[in-house]
Amino acid sequence: MKKKVLLMGKSGSGKTSMRSIIFSNYIARDTRRLGATIDVESSSVKFLGNLTLNLWDCGGQEAFMEHYFASQRGHIFKSVELLIYVFDVESRDSEKDIHYYQWCLEAILEKSPNAKIFCLLHKMDLVPLDQRDQLFSHWKNELQRLSLPLETVVFPTSIWDETLYAAWSKIVHCLIPNINTLQMHLDKFCEICEADEVVLFERTTILVIANAARVQHPDIHRFEKISSIIKQFNPSGREPSHFKSMEIRSATFSAFIDALTTNTYVMVVLSDSSIQSAATLHNISVARKHFK
Ligand code: GTP
């Protein structure tokens, strides 16, 4: 199953940076060395076994942009499943950015009217902390208004913190087939393990696919923080075999991270200290065939 994902936005907004961090295991610092994308760089990323993301990173220099909307319109905008439009929050010419965005929406409406649309308000790290919420909420309302009659979901992102993972996890979530069945299995598994929480990660990107919880946790960014920690154990990125499993024990909880299927890792978090490690590992092992 191939799904075409368009990554668009003006030159320097950070498209190739985020693609390289999520799918090629770059660290944020390395993206400073990236050159401008010439025309379109398309790559196929295997995701969860039978799903392939066909990622089109469209270079954002003006000459390329004009080309996409004119002579390459059919080629670029047909059969699009997802459009991710990246706005540089520090942009000095936001009017022009909006103008290109609206051109893009027109082309999508014409060639792929059922595509889902996401806007990323990127480089939020450059905005002072006390102004972020207000700026984001202003832009979110503005972009949703300007996108009508299409609907768009807006996320604040930065390569320098976990917001990038949070946004991309939610974006790929909507591409996963049978997500409801998967969620049902995970809820059941969480109950059987008597876990506080169970989280499912895709194995090469370490994006969160789904989670089930019996106990609510106050840190809403915990998954993305864990994603970036696991990534440190898997420096080659495309080879999931480097990282196999991990058990963490503290006075108040224990956590197990283990390969569940060839394409996923599961993390099981427990605060009930009477549950033996062997029991949890056995549960994970039995669950494997249900998640295949
Ligand atoms: P084109 O290929 O020309 O379309 O540009 P692009 O959108 O692919 O931009 P690219 O990813 O090459 O990023 C340009 C610069 O922005 C790089 O130096 C990145 O390090 C920097 N950058 C990317 N994301 C962020 C971010 O979240 N915060 C900050 N401060 N810089 C970022």
Side-chain angles (χ1 to χ4, degrees):
M1 201 181 304
K2 229 178 187 182
K3 308 246 181 180
K4 179 172 172 184
V5 177
L6 277 191
L7 194 51
M8 300 197 92
K10 78 162 187 132
S11 182
S13 58
K15 302 177 291 297
T16 311
S17 302
M18 58 176 75
R19 169 171 71 98
S20 309
I21 290 173
I22 302 277
F23 296 104
S24 307
N25 236 29
Y26 275 48
I27 54 168
R29 204 179 49 226
D30 292 344
T31 65
R32 294 194 180 119
R33 296 199 308 259
L34 289 167
T37 305
I38 305 301
D39 206 2
V40 179
E41 264 177 33
S42 65
S43 49
S44 282
V45 186
K46 263 211 167 296
F47 198 84
L48 281 183
N50 58 356
L51 179 64
T52 303
L53 301 186
N54 193 5
L55 205 59
W56 291 41
D57 180 352
C58 305
Q61 292 179 45
E62 283 188 21
F64 298 136
M65 290 290 248
E66 309 272 338
H67 217 45
Y68 305 147
F69 301 119
S71 57
Q72 289 184 302
R73 195 179 179 89
H75 174 60
I76 302 272
F77 293 99
K78 74 162 192 278
S79 314
V80 175
E81 203 80 31
L82 270 190
L83 165 70
I84 303 169
Y85 203 97
V86 183
F87 289 92
D88 179 345
V89 79
E90 285 272 283
S91 172
R92 311 224 172 276
D93 196 356
S94 48
E95 230 172 81
K96 194 164 221 165
D97 298 347
I98 294 285
H99 181 69
Y100 278 135
Y101 173 59
Q102 288 193 305
W103 268 9
C104 203
L105 291 186
E106 271 172 32
I108 284 284
L109 206 52
E110 184 192 335
K111 303 283 181 196
S112 302
N114 296 321
K116 294 195 176 67
I117 296 156
F118 294 91
C119 289
L120 303 184
L121 207 53
H122 194 53
K123 304 195 185 177
M124 283 300 266
D125 57 286
L126 300 176
V127 178
L129 205 56
D130 60 339
Q131 295 169 24
R132 282 183 202 170
D133 285 350
Q134 200 190 356
L135 184 105
F136 175 67
S137 121
H138 165 78
W139 269 96
K140 182 178 158 197
N141 292 337
E142 210 41 25
L143 287 171
Q144 287 178 332
R145 185 180 65 79
L146 291 165
S147 304
L148 292 170
L150 293 167
E151 279 182 21
T152 185
V153 180
V154 190
F155 294 110
T157 50
S158 162
I159 57 168
W160 293 103
D161 60 37
E162 63 283 345
T163 52
L164 186 69
Y165 265 86
W168 274 86
S169 285
K170 292 197 183 87
I171 291 171
V172 295
H173 190 265
C174 76
L175 290 176
I176 299 168
N178 308 325
I179 190 74
N180 293 337
T181 316
L182 189 71
Q183 184 66 51
M184 242 165 53
H185 282 311
L186 208 64
D187 288 340
K188 189 90 194 144
F189 179 58
C190 185
E191 235 177 270
I192 290 169
C193 288
E194 296 182 36
D196 292 15
E197 186 156 54
V198 173
V199 189
L200 203 62
F201 296 95
E202 197 277 332
R203 211 158 155 181
T204 47
T205 56
I206 321 289
L207 289 171
V208 175
I209 296 162
N211 82 298
R214 293 165 70 237
V215 176
Q216 293 311 314
H217 197 285
D219 182 356
I220 57 163
H221 293 302
R222 63 195 181 284
F223 302 148
E224 297 80 51
K225 289 176 186 165
I226 295 162
S227 291
S228 51
I229 294 168
I230 300 178
K231 272 217 149 173
Q232 324 273 320
F233 288 91
N234 189 20
S236 68
R238 303 312 305 166
E239 287 173 44
S241 57
H242 272 81
F243 175 82
K244 288 229 160 42
S245 64
M246 186 193 288
E247 180 177 340
I248 302 150
R249 281 202 169 265
S250 82
T252 49
F253 76 93
S254 51
F256 300 81
I257 304 171
D258 206 342
L260 188 66
T261 65
T262 39
N263 310 298
T264 55
Y265 285 120
V266 69
M267 179 178 76
V268 182
V269 182
L270 303 117
S271 55
D272 182 346
S273 57
S274 68
I275 300 172
Q276 299 285 320
S277 299
T280 306
L281 291 171
H282 180 70
N283 281 335
I284 294 175
S285 158
V286 172
R288 284 198 176 102
K289 62 174 177 291
H290 294 283
F291 284 89
K292 266 201 178 125

mmCIF file of all heavy atoms in Angstrom, residues 9-18 28 31-32 34-37 57-61 122-126 157-160, ligand 1:
data_model
loop_
_atom_site.group_PDB
_atom_site.id
_atom_site.type_symbol
_atom_site.label_atom_id
_atom_site.label_comp_id
_atom_site.label_asym_id
_atom_site.label_seq_id
_atom_site.Cartn_x
_atom_site.Cartn_y
_atom_site.Cartn_z
ATOM 1 N N GLY A 9 6.594 23.988 1.290
ATOM 2 C CA GLY A 9 6.820 25.190 2.099
ATOM 3 C C GLY A 9 8.001 25.915 1.496
ATOM 4 O O GLY A 9 8.768 25.322 0.717
ATOM 5 N N LYS A 10 8.170 27.177 1.877
ATOM 6 C CA LYS A 10 9.206 27.947 1.183
ATOM 7 C C LYS A 10 10.626 27.478 1.540
ATOM 8 O O LYS A 10 10.823 26.776 2.540
ATOM 9 C CB LYS A 10 9.018 29.437 1.448
ATOM 10 C CG LYS A 10 9.502 29.850 2.766
ATOM 11 C CD LYS A 10 9.694 31.354 2.775
ATOM 12 C CE LYS A 10 10.338 31.698 4.044
ATOM 13 N NZ LYS A 10 11.395 32.475 4.253
ATOM 14 N N SER A 11 11.556 27.881 0.714
ATOM 15 C CA SER A 11 12.944 27.455 0.880
ATOM 16 C C SER A 11 13.471 27.851 2.268
ATOM 17 O O SER A 11 13.254 28.976 2.724
ATOM 18 C CB SER A 11 13.792 28.121 -0.206
ATOM 19 O OG SER A 11 15.116 27.699 -0.085
ATOM 20 N N GLY A 12 14.115 26.907 2.933
ATOM 21 C CA GLY A 12 14.701 27.197 4.239
ATOM 22 C C GLY A 12 13.742 27.036 5.399
ATOM 23 O O GLY A 12 14.101 27.261 6.551
ATOM 24 N N SER A 13 12.496 26.623 5.113
ATOM 25 C CA SER A 13 11.529 26.510 6.214
ATOM 26 C C SER A 13 11.817 25.296 7.091
ATOM 27 O O SER A 13 11.325 25.204 8.214
ATOM 28 C CB SER A 13 10.093 26.475 5.688
ATOM 29 O OG SER A 13 9.923 25.392 4.802
ATOM 30 N N GLY A 14 12.587 24.316 6.574
ATOM 31 C CA GLY A 14 12.986 23.182 7.419
ATOM 32 C C GLY A 14 12.448 21.823 6.991
ATOM 33 O O GLY A 14 12.490 20.868 7.761
ATOM 34 N N LYS A 15 11.984 21.710 5.742
ATOM 35 C CA LYS A 15 11.375 20.449 5.276
ATOM 36 C C LYS A 15 12.370 19.287 5.276
ATOM 37 O O LYS A 15 12.120 18.234 5.840
ATOM 38 C CB LYS A 15 10.806 20.627 3.845
ATOM 39 C CG LYS A 15 9.785 21.732 3.733
ATOM 40 C CD LYS A 15 9.311 21.919 2.321
ATOM 41 C CE LYS A 15 10.376 22.482 1.373
ATOM 42 N NZ LYS A 15 10.859 23.813 1.710
ATOM 43 N N THR A 16 13.533 19.521 4.613
ATOM 44 C CA THR A 16 14.512 18.428 4.523
ATOM 45 C C THR A 16 15.064 18.084 5.901
ATOM 46 O O THR A 16 15.337 16.929 6.203
ATOM 47 C CB THR A 16 15.649 18.811 3.548
ATOM 48 O OG1 THR A 16 15.052 19.286 2.342
ATOM 49 C CG2 THR A 16 16.522 17.618 3.233
ATOM 50 N N SER A 17 15.185 19.102 6.752
ATOM 51 C CA SER A 17 15.684 18.852 8.114
ATOM 52 C C SER A 17 14.769 17.866 8.828
ATOM 53 O O SER A 17 15.220 16.877 9.398
ATOM 54 C CB SER A 17 15.734 20.144 8.924
ATOM 55 O OG SER A 17 16.537 21.086 8.297
ATOM 56 N N MET A 18 13.465 18.142 8.801
ATOM 57 C CA MET A 18 12.575 17.258 9.565
ATOM 58 C C MET A 18 12.506 15.873 8.946
ATOM 59 O O MET A 18 12.501 14.869 9.644
ATOM 60 C CB MET A 18 11.196 17.880 9.777
ATOM 61 C CG MET A 18 10.424 18.253 8.575
ATOM 62 S SD MET A 18 8.784 18.872 9.060
ATOM 63 C CE MET A 18 9.145 20.486 9.669
ATOM 64 N N ALA A 28 19.563 16.955 15.217
ATOM 65 C CA ALA A 28 19.201 18.321 14.818
ATOM 66 C C ALA A 28 20.414 19.115 14.319
ATOM 67 O O ALA A 28 20.343 19.826 13.308
ATOM 68 C CB ALA A 28 18.521 19.024 15.980
ATOM 69 N N THR A 31 21.569 19.073 10.599
ATOM 70 C CA THR A 31 20.755 19.652 9.521
ATOM 71 C C THR A 31 21.319 20.987 9.039
ATOM 72 O O THR A 31 20.943 21.471 7.988
ATOM 73 C CB THR A 31 19.296 19.875 9.974
ATOM 74 O OG1 THR A 31 19.287 20.859 11.020
ATOM 75 C CG2 THR A 31 18.662 18.590 10.460
ATOM 76 N N ARG A 32 22.235 21.563 9.809
ATOM 77 C CA ARG A 32 22.836 22.842 9.382
ATOM 78 C C ARG A 32 23.636 22.656 8.110
ATOM 79 O O ARG A 32 23.899 23.595 7.376
ATOM 80 C CB ARG A 32 23.737 23.391 10.489
ATOM 81 C CG ARG A 32 22.953 23.790 11.725
ATOM 82 C CD ARG A 32 23.812 24.637 12.662
ATOM 83 N NE ARG A 32 23.072 25.017 13.845
ATOM 84 C CZ ARG A 32 23.422 24.681 15.080
ATOM 85 N NH1 ARG A 32 24.504 23.980 15.309
ATOM 86 N NH2 ARG A 32 22.702 25.071 16.101
ATOM 87 N N LEU A 34 22.740 20.799 5.556
ATOM 88 C CA LEU A 34 21.915 20.431 4.400
ATOM 89 C C LEU A 34 21.866 21.567 3.381
ATOM 90 O O LEU A 34 21.724 22.729 3.754
ATOM 91 C CB LEU A 34 20.478 20.114 4.843
ATOM 92 C CG LEU A 34 20.267 18.826 5.633
ATOM 93 C CD1 LEU A 34 18.870 18.816 6.268
ATOM 94 C CD2 LEU A 34 20.444 17.621 4.719
ATOM 95 N N GLY A 35 21.980 21.216 2.107
ATOM 96 C CA GLY A 35 21.846 22.234 1.065
ATOM 97 C C GLY A 35 20.396 22.342 0.643
ATOM 98 O O GLY A 35 19.557 21.539 1.053
ATOM 99 N N ALA A 36 20.093 23.349 -0.185
ATOM 100 C CA ALA A 36 18.716 23.520 -0.662
ATOM 101 C C ALA A 36 18.344 22.334 -1.555
ATOM 102 O O ALA A 36 19.176 21.830 -2.307
ATOM 103 C CB ALA A 36 18.600 24.816 -1.440
ATOM 104 N N THR A 37 17.090 21.909 -1.458
ATOM 105 C CA THR A 37 16.616 20.808 -2.300
ATOM 106 C C THR A 37 16.356 21.323 -3.712
ATOM 107 O O THR A 37 15.692 22.347 -3.902
ATOM 108 C CB THR A 37 15.308 20.218 -1.705
ATOM 109 O OG1 THR A 37 15.581 19.857 -0.363
ATOM 110 C CG2 THR A 37 14.822 19.011 -2.494
ATOM 111 N N ASP A 57 9.692 15.553 -1.142
ATOM 112 C CA ASP A 57 10.222 16.771 -0.523
ATOM 113 C C ASP A 57 10.413 17.791 -1.650
ATOM 114 O O ASP A 57 11.320 17.665 -2.476
ATOM 115 C CB ASP A 57 11.549 16.424 0.170
ATOM 116 C CG ASP A 57 12.201 17.623 0.852
ATOM 117 O OD1 ASP A 57 11.717 18.752 0.672
ATOM 118 O OD2 ASP A 57 13.212 17.422 1.556
ATOM 119 N N CYS A 58 9.535 18.788 -1.702
ATOM 120 C CA CYS A 58 9.529 19.726 -2.834
ATOM 121 C C CYS A 58 10.366 20.965 -2.480
ATOM 122 O O CYS A 58 9.975 21.740 -1.594
ATOM 123 C CB CYS A 58 8.106 20.155 -3.162
ATOM 124 S SG CYS A 58 7.017 18.769 -3.469
ATOM 125 N N GLY A 59 11.490 21.120 -3.134
ATOM 126 C CA GLY A 59 12.362 22.274 -2.911
ATOM 127 C C GLY A 59 11.545 23.562 -2.976
ATOM 128 O O GLY A 59 10.701 23.720 -3.857
ATOM 129 N N GLY A 60 11.805 24.480 -2.036
ATOM 130 C CA GLY A 60 10.908 25.624 -1.898
ATOM 131 C C GLY A 60 11.374 26.915 -2.551
ATOM 132 O O GLY A 60 10.749 27.964 -2.349
ATOM 133 N N GLN A 61 12.477 26.857 -3.340
ATOM 134 C CA GLN A 61 12.886 28.109 -3.974
ATOM 135 C C GLN A 61 11.811 28.538 -4.975
ATOM 136 O O GLN A 61 11.172 27.699 -5.604
ATOM 137 C CB GLN A 61 14.230 27.915 -4.665
ATOM 138 C CG GLN A 61 15.359 27.688 -3.665
ATOM 139 C CD GLN A 61 16.698 27.468 -4.360
ATOM 140 O OE1 GLN A 61 17.048 28.189 -5.277
ATOM 141 N NE2 GLN A 61 17.419 26.454 -3.928
ATOM 142 N N HIS A 122 6.745 25.993 12.036
ATOM 143 C CA HIS A 122 8.042 25.405 12.366
ATOM 144 C C HIS A 122 9.060 26.444 12.867
ATOM 145 O O HIS A 122 8.902 27.625 12.624
ATOM 146 C CB HIS A 122 8.558 24.691 11.110
ATOM 147 C CG HIS A 122 9.703 23.771 11.379
ATOM 148 N ND1 HIS A 122 9.660 22.789 12.325
ATOM 149 C CD2 HIS A 122 10.936 23.695 10.811
ATOM 150 C CE1 HIS A 122 10.811 22.150 12.333
ATOM 151 N NE2 HIS A 122 11.613 22.682 11.436
ATOM 152 N N LYS A 123 10.094 25.941 13.532
ATOM 153 C CA LYS A 123 11.162 26.731 14.161
ATOM 154 C C LYS A 123 10.630 27.509 15.362
ATOM 155 O O LYS A 123 11.031 28.647 15.625
ATOM 156 C CB LYS A 123 11.837 27.687 13.160
ATOM 157 C CG LYS A 123 12.402 26.993 11.920
ATOM 158 C CD LYS A 123 13.358 27.874 11.158
ATOM 159 C CE LYS A 123 13.818 27.202 9.859
ATOM 160 N NZ LYS A 123 14.688 28.006 9.041
ATOM 161 N N MET A 124 9.689 26.916 16.090
ATOM 162 C CA MET A 124 9.102 27.573 17.255
ATOM 163 C C MET A 124 10.138 27.868 18.340
ATOM 164 O O MET A 124 9.919 28.706 19.195
ATOM 165 C CB MET A 124 7.982 26.697 17.847
ATOM 166 C CG MET A 124 6.696 26.741 17.079
ATOM 167 S SD MET A 124 5.963 28.375 16.955
ATOM 168 C CE MET A 124 4.849 28.390 18.306
ATOM 169 N N ASP A 125 11.284 27.144 18.274
ATOM 170 C CA ASP A 125 12.343 27.403 19.259
ATOM 171 C C ASP A 125 12.860 28.832 19.157
ATOM 172 O O ASP A 125 13.442 29.360 20.105
ATOM 173 C CB ASP A 125 13.497 26.407 19.048
ATOM 174 C CG ASP A 125 14.061 26.466 17.641
ATOM 175 O OD1 ASP A 125 13.402 25.970 16.698
ATOM 176 O OD2 ASP A 125 15.139 27.023 17.454
ATOM 177 N N LEU A 126 12.655 29.485 18.004
ATOM 178 C CA LEU A 126 13.160 30.850 17.826
ATOM 179 C C LEU A 126 12.226 31.903 18.441
ATOM 180 O O LEU A 126 12.567 33.078 18.496
ATOM 181 C CB LEU A 126 13.353 31.136 16.322
ATOM 182 C CG LEU A 126 14.347 30.216 15.601
ATOM 183 C CD1 LEU A 126 14.391 30.514 14.119
ATOM 184 C CD2 LEU A 126 15.749 30.359 16.202
ATOM 185 N N THR A 157 6.033 23.185 15.744
ATOM 186 C CA THR A 157 7.141 22.217 15.730
ATOM 187 C C THR A 157 8.512 22.903 15.797
ATOM 188 O O THR A 157 8.658 24.072 15.449
ATOM 189 C CB THR A 157 7.121 21.345 14.444
ATOM 190 O OG1 THR A 157 7.011 22.203 13.322
ATOM 191 C CG2 THR A 157 6.011 20.339 14.448
ATOM 192 N N SER A 158 9.489 22.108 16.232
ATOM 193 C CA SER A 158 10.883 22.537 16.201
ATOM 194 C C SER A 158 11.731 21.273 16.169
ATOM 195 O O SER A 158 11.372 20.282 16.809
ATOM 196 C CB SER A 158 11.213 23.340 17.464
ATOM 197 O OG SER A 158 12.617 23.382 17.624
ATOM 198 N N ILE A 159 12.844 21.333 15.441
ATOM 199 C CA ILE A 159 13.719 20.158 15.432
ATOM 200 C C ILE A 159 14.480 20.043 16.747
ATOM 201 O O ILE A 159 15.114 19.035 17.007
ATOM 202 C CB ILE A 159 14.735 20.184 14.258
ATOM 203 C CG1 ILE A 159 15.603 21.443 14.295
ATOM 204 C CG2 ILE A 159 14.032 20.024 12.935
ATOM 205 C CD1 ILE A 159 16.801 21.395 13.351
ATOM 206 N N TRP A 160 14.426 21.091 17.562
ATOM 207 C CA TRP A 160 15.227 21.110 18.787
ATOM 208 C C TRP A 160 14.480 20.582 20.002
ATOM 209 O O TRP A 160 15.019 20.587 21.106
ATOM 210 C CB TRP A 160 15.751 22.536 19.048
ATOM 211 C CG TRP A 160 16.740 22.940 18.002
ATOM 212 C CD1 TRP A 160 16.511 23.772 16.945
ATOM 213 C CD2 TRP A 160 18.094 22.485 17.877
ATOM 214 N NE1 TRP A 160 17.635 23.872 16.175
ATOM 215 C CE2 TRP A 160 18.627 23.103 16.717
ATOM 216 C CE3 TRP A 160 18.901 21.625 18.613
ATOM 217 C CZ2 TRP A 160 19.937 22.883 16.286
ATOM 218 C CZ3 TRP A 160 20.213 21.401 18.193
ATOM 219 C CH2 TRP A 160 20.717 22.036 17.038
HETATM 220 P P1 GTP B 1 14.662 23.928 0.563
HETATM 221 O O1 GTP B 1 15.326 22.617 0.347
HETATM 222 O O2 GTP B 1 15.409 25.064 -0.071
HETATM 223 O O3 GTP B 1 13.214 23.933 0.182
HETATM 224 O O4 GTP B 1 14.712 24.212 2.167
HETATM 225 P P2 GTP B 1 14.149 23.305 3.360
HETATM 226 O O5 GTP B 1 12.751 23.707 3.687
HETATM 227 O O6 GTP B 1 14.340 21.863 3.042
HETATM 228 O O7 GTP B 1 15.053 23.762 4.590
HETATM 229 P P3 GTP B 1 16.213 22.910 5.327
HETATM 230 O O8 GTP B 1 15.627 21.688 5.942
HETATM 231 O O9 GTP B 1 17.349 22.761 4.399
HETATM 232 O O10 GTP B 1 16.568 23.889 6.560
HETATM 233 C C1 GTP B 1 17.147 25.150 6.432
HETATM 234 C C2 GTP B 1 17.813 25.541 7.728
HETATM 235 O O11 GTP B 1 16.854 25.657 8.791
HETATM 236 C C3 GTP B 1 18.877 24.536 8.216
HETATM 237 O O12 GTP B 1 20.041 25.275 8.556
HETATM 238 C C4 GTP B 1 18.283 23.926 9.465
HETATM 239 O O13 GTP B 1 19.260 23.574 10.441
HETATM 240 C C5 GTP B 1 17.353 25.025 9.968
HETATM 241 N N1 GTP B 1 16.214 24.498 10.729
HETATM 242 C C6 GTP B 1 15.392 23.482 10.369
HETATM 243 N N2 GTP B 1 14.476 23.262 11.314
HETATM 244 C C7 GTP B 1 14.705 24.151 12.320
HETATM 245 C C8 GTP B 1 14.075 24.430 13.595
HETATM 246 O O14 GTP B 1 13.120 23.802 14.037
HETATM 247 N N3 GTP B 1 14.614 25.451 14.324
HETATM 248 C C9 GTP B 1 15.694 26.178 13.902
HETATM 249 N N4 GTP B 1 16.132 27.148 14.696
HETATM 250 N N5 GTP B 1 16.318 25.943 12.710
HETATM 251 C C10 GTP B 1 15.818 24.952 11.932
#
